[in-house]
Amino acid sequence: MQKEVSRAIKGTWILTIASLFSELLSAIYRIPLQNIVGDRGYFIYQQVYPIYGIFSVLALSGLPVVISKTFAQQDSVAAKNSLLKRTFGILFLGCGVATILLWMSSKYLALMMGDINLYPEVRVVALTFLLVPFEASLRGYFQSDLIMEPSAISQVSEQFLRIVIIIFSAVMFGKGFLNVYQMGTLANSGAFIGGLLAVAILVIKYVRNRPDDSKNDSSKIKLEHGLLLEIILIVVFTGITIFYQFIDSFSMLRLLLHAGLSLDVAEVQKGVFDRGQPLLQLGIVLSLSFVSTIMPQLKETNHLERNKNTIQKMVRVCLWLSVAETAGLIALMPEINTMLFTNVNGSRTLSIYMLSILIVSFINLLVAITSGDDEKNVHKLILFGMSLVTKIALNIILIPKFGIAGGAMATILSECVILFGILAIYNFDRKFLALDKKFISNLIKTGVIMAIIVKIVVKFLAMYMIMNRGNCILVNLIAIPIGAIIYLKLSKRWHMLTKQEWEILPMGKYIIKFMKIED
């Protein structure tokens, strides 16, 4: 059992580090992209990003997570291989239809987004859906055995090649070889080209390490009741932020225009709003990696009994980390905004937006742990639908009044519909998550105190320097370690994590030594 726990923790951090590195690359490339093409060019690129985001959910997180659980439930290698073939066939058919529909409706979608010239970008992104069957099925296959390396390597390789193409397109635009729409199309083609590399890596890994099933006659596939509903649930909720971004792509520009902004100004404002996406994605990587490791461990039962202790530890550590991320980003937002995007435009909006990290992380954990509860999964999907309707309604109400900050507020409030709705479904019972009132209270206090002290440090430093990009980098390098130490010290003082939970953290043993943490 201890060996299984160690594999689970190791698998979590392999995938987490790979995902963090990928998202770090994703955040970094936006700096030269936005600097070269400007906020309007950034808007042109980002406007179709939610379509790529849906592909990313299907290929990287949502589908592999739930498929891995189904693979883990099989009794034999032959059954797993048989399930792999069937899964691939179903996905290929569904994704092929999706690609054709997106391609044929590209001009209509571009028109709904506010600019018909975006249709070539929609078409090139549509091609990525042809790669989903390969990526989702093989990643799920490997992750079912807690083998995270193929998923990690393919993910980083895919992202790296994609970013190379994006930067190349920005440079070509900067030199005048491409117009803004050609730049956007070439940049978005990086998703398909990078995806091809990921598929090649996964296929080679599978062919080289494919287990021999000839000695096993049992190829009967085990499928649990309510599997389709569970798949929809996990895919929908791991990609929840993408659906909100999708709504923003179709509504924000029109609402800003309706509020009296000119087209150029509205496009720039939407580009500023989109600065928050890489930071948000970077923040929720942790929870998605924990979810990816938790799901295969639910193979024996959907009532958490066999691995309840391990899962509860992961939930507490994941929320502890999510609070640290959220509080830190909000405290440093003007400086992080300037460091990444040269100015403070939209800092208030981005600060509001960062609350999504904590809310979405909690939602992901709740949904993953209770995904086998067939009776209440329908209720969760209804909550998801209600949140989307809430997002649309709040966008209409808040964006004309508060601009892009209204869009951020609409997202946060819509996420709360799901969070509190799920908690209400389970009568706000915290026992199955091992989240007592003391832990929650101390978690909030720790995050707030750390954020306040970091803010004071930043204000003090700002008295002696002009807050340009270079100085903001220096301020962040000073403030982040101070914030981390404060967060660790307060967590130790209030006994927020057990020694075993500290060990789950990367370099946990060194942190225990450094902090002199005892049982």
Side-chain angles (χ1 to χ4, degrees):
M1 182 67 183
Q2 186 60 38
K3 186 177 179 182
E4 190 74 10
V5 172
S6 298
R7 284 186 67 206
I9 293 170
K10 180 183 176 184
T12 297
W13 289 115
I14 287 173
L15 204 57
T16 298
I17 291 167
S19 299
L20 283 171
F21 184 67
S22 295
E23 292 301 336
L24 186 61
L25 288 175
S26 184
I28 289 172
Y29 86 75
R30 282 171 164 84
I31 300 170
L33 177 63
Q34 186 266 351
N35 292 173
I36 295 170
V37 304
D39 282 323
R40 182 171 181 267
Y42 188 57
F43 156 81
I44 295 296
Y45 165 76
Q46 282 284 140
Q47 192 70 343
V48 300
Y49 183 85
I51 300 177
Y52 165 75
I54 293 172
F55 155 77
S56 182
V57 168
L58 292 173
L60 292 178
S61 52
L63 275 178
V65 164
V66 74
I67 288 173
S68 69
K69 178 186 173 184
T70 307
F71 277 125
Q73 290 172 332
Q74 305 312 308
D75 294 326
S76 67
V77 173
K80 286 185 72 172
N81 286 333
S82 181
L83 178 61
L84 179 62
K85 292 174 185 176
R86 186 178 296 186
T87 302
F88 178 84
I90 293 170
L91 289 176
F92 190 79
L93 178 62
C95 292
V97 171
T99 300
I100 293 169
L101 290 176
L102 280 170
W103 186 280
M104 293 177 64
S105 62
S106 58
K107 290 188 178 180
Y108 177 71
L109 289 172
L111 190 62
M112 287 182 66
M113 288 179 182
D115 192 340
I116 196 171
N117 294 310
L118 295 172
Y119 83 89
E121 293 184 53
V122 176
R123 287 185 171 179
V124 78
V125 173
L127 295 176
T128 59
F129 286 85
L130 295 174
L131 306 176
V132 169
F134 299 92
E135 296 197 51
S137 58
L138 288 174
R139 282 181 171 131
Y141 185 91
F142 290 122
Q143 288 172 206
S144 67
D145 293 323
L146 298 179
I147 300 172
M148 303 300 186
E149 289 86 347
S151 293
I153 294 169
S154 61
Q155 183 177 339
V156 172
S157 301
E158 176 180 355
Q159 190 73 291
F160 182 77
L161 182 55
R162 171 173 166 259
I163 289 168
V164 168
I165 294 169
I166 291 171
I167 298 302
F168 174 76
S169 67
V171 171
M172 289 297 99
F173 170 79
K175 292 183 177 294
F177 293 113
L178 301 174
N179 64 38
V180 69
Y181 296 105
Q182 291 169 334
M183 177 277 299
T185 302
L186 180 58
N188 278 294
S189 72
F192 180 69
I193 298 170
L196 287 174
L197 176 60
V199 168
I201 291 170
L202 290 166
V203 170
I204 291 170
K205 180 71 174 177
Y206 174 74
V207 171
R208 285 181 176 176
N209 298 274
R210 182 181 180 182
D212 183 15
D213 61 7
S214 60
K215 297 178 182 178
N216 196 325
D217 295 329
S218 174
S219 61
K220 185 178 180 181
I221 299 172
K222 289 173 62 177
L223 297 177
E224 63 181 10
H225 178 70
L227 176 61
L228 180 60
L229 186 61
E230 187 175 352
I231 290 173
I232 295 171
L233 187 78
I234 293 296
V235 169
V236 160
F237 280 100
T238 52
I240 185 172
T241 58
I242 299 298
F243 291 99
Y244 295 134
Q245 291 168 17
F246 204 78
I247 291 171
D248 287 328
S249 285
F250 285 100
S251 64
M252 185 170 288
L253 185 65
R254 293 175 179 275
L255 289 168
L256 290 172
L257 291 172
H258 182 70
L261 274 64
S262 66
L263 179 60
D264 288 346
V265 172
E267 288 181 341
V268 168
Q269 283 293 295
K270 178 59 168 59
V272 170
F273 180 81
D274 287 337
R275 294 179 182 185
Q277 291 181 16
L279 295 171
L280 178 59
Q281 289 165 339
L282 193 63
I284 63 175
V285 158
L286 281 170
S287 64
L288 290 178
S289 297
F290 274 91
V291 167
S292 296
T293 308
I294 286 171
M295 286 299 289
Q297 296 184 72
L298 302 179
K299 62 184 176 181
E300 296 295 331
T301 172
N302 286 322
H303 299 289
L304 313 179
E305 295 304 324
R306 183 172 181 269
N307 295 306
K308 185 176 181 179
N309 189 41
T310 303
I311 290 169
Q312 286 178 337
K313 289 175 186 175
M314 288 185 170
V315 168
R316 287 164 59 88
V317 172
C318 185
L319 286 178
W320 182 83
L321 288 167
S322 296
V323 168
E325 289 179 305
T326 304
L329 282 168
I330 291 173
L332 289 168
M333 182 45 62
E335 291 69 38
I336 288 175
N337 195 11
T338 303
M339 180 178 74
L340 295 178
F341 303 107
T342 72
N343 57 51
V344 298
N345 294 347
S347 292
R348 182 184 63 170
T349 297
L350 298 183
S351 294
I352 298 169
Y353 206 8
M354 291 307 99
L355 290 170
S356 284
I357 294 173
L358 178 57
I359 299 171
V360 171
S361 294
F362 202 178
I363 290 172
N364 283 335
L365 291 168
L366 287 171
V367 170
I369 292 170
T370 62
S371 63
D373 190 348
D374 297 337
E375 293 181 4
K376 294 176 180 176
N377 281 348
V378 173
H379 298 148
K380 296 167 199 168
L381 287 175
I382 292 172
L383 283 172
F384 173 73
M386 290 172 59
S387 78
L388 294 186
V389 173
T390 302
K391 169 65 175 171
I392 294 169
L394 290 176
N395 267 10
I396 293 171
I397 295 169
L398 298 176
I399 290 176
K401 189 172 183 180
F402 299 105
I404 57 175
M409 287 186 278
T411 296
I412 298 302
L413 293 172
S414 301
E415 291 165 351
C416 286
V417 169
I418 296 176
L419 176 60
F420 291 111
I422 293 176
L423 291 173
I425 288 173
Y426 291 96
N427 299 315
F428 293 90
D429 181 14
R430 299 180 302 275
K431 292 180 182 177
F432 73 105
L433 292 173
L435 300 176
D436 54 61
K437 287 184 178 179
K438 185 178 179 182
F439 175 81
I440 295 171
S441 173
N442 287 339
L443 193 60
I444 294 170
K445 285 193 296 183
T446 303
V448 170
I449 292 171
M450 183 264 282
I452 290 172
I453 294 174
V454 166
K455 201 74 177 175
I456 291 171
V457 170
V458 170
K459 291 292 185 183
F460 175 77
L461 293 173
M463 293 170 60
Y464 299 96
M465 59 180 73
I466 298 171
M467 300 306 284
N468 53 31
R469 171 179 275 181
N471 287 336
C472 281
I473 293 173
L474 178 61
V475 167
N476 284 320
L477 288 174
I478 295 171
I480 290 173
I482 291 173
I485 291 170
I486 291 167
Y487 198 75
L488 289 170
K489 290 285 187 183
L490 290 175
S491 297
K492 178 193 173 184
R493 181 176 180 179
W494 290 328
H495 306 287
M496 292 181 61
L497 300 177
T498 65
K499 188 174 181 180
Q500 289 179 321
E501 288 166 350
W502 282 104
E503 288 175 349
I504 292 176
L505 295 168
M507 299 176 65
K509 291 181 180 179
Y510 296 102
I511 294 174
I512 289 171
K513 273 188 180 180
F514 174 72
M515 299 295 297
K516 298 179 181 176
I517 293 168
E518 300 174 354
D519 288 324

